[in-house]
Amino acid sequence: MYCRKCGAELKDGDIFCPKCGQKVEEEVHQETVRQEVVYKRQRDESLCNVGFIFCVIGTVVLGFAVFPLLWCIPMTIYVYNAIKDKKPMSVGLKVCVLLFVSLIGGIFLLLGDPDE
Ligand SMILES: [Zn+2]
């Protein structure tokens, strides 16, 4: 390592140039800061990538959680209306309820309304 100002050779750990008194530490410090900035930028990018991956996973999981609601809600409303209005419920509907909405609920519907 050499002095930035006068070019004299510096020993490791020298804070000031022994010849001209130029502060050595500064340059090293700036280099360290630059490396920290680069490191920080890289780390932030990878964090963002991880965040993005979790966004994708969350979207897929939410998608699968919301998708059943598309049939669970209408089927439950249909069963509610059928019971309220004393309308017949087909065996197919009850089996679908059993399979896709509620296993126990479907069994109770089959037991409670055995006419068809
Ligand atoms: Zn010097």
Side-chain angles (χ1 to χ4, degrees), residues 3 6 17 20:
C3 173
C6 71
C17 172
C20 72

Side-chain angles (χ1 to χ4, degrees), residues 33 40 42 44 49 56-57 76-78 82 84 87 98 105 108 111-113:
V33 168
K40 208 171 183 184
Q42 286 169 343
D44 285 352
N49 286 337
V56 171
I57 293 169
T76 304
I77 291 170
Y78 184 87
K84 196 180 71 174
K87 275 195 293 194
L98 187 148
F108 273 98
L111 291 172
D113 182 32

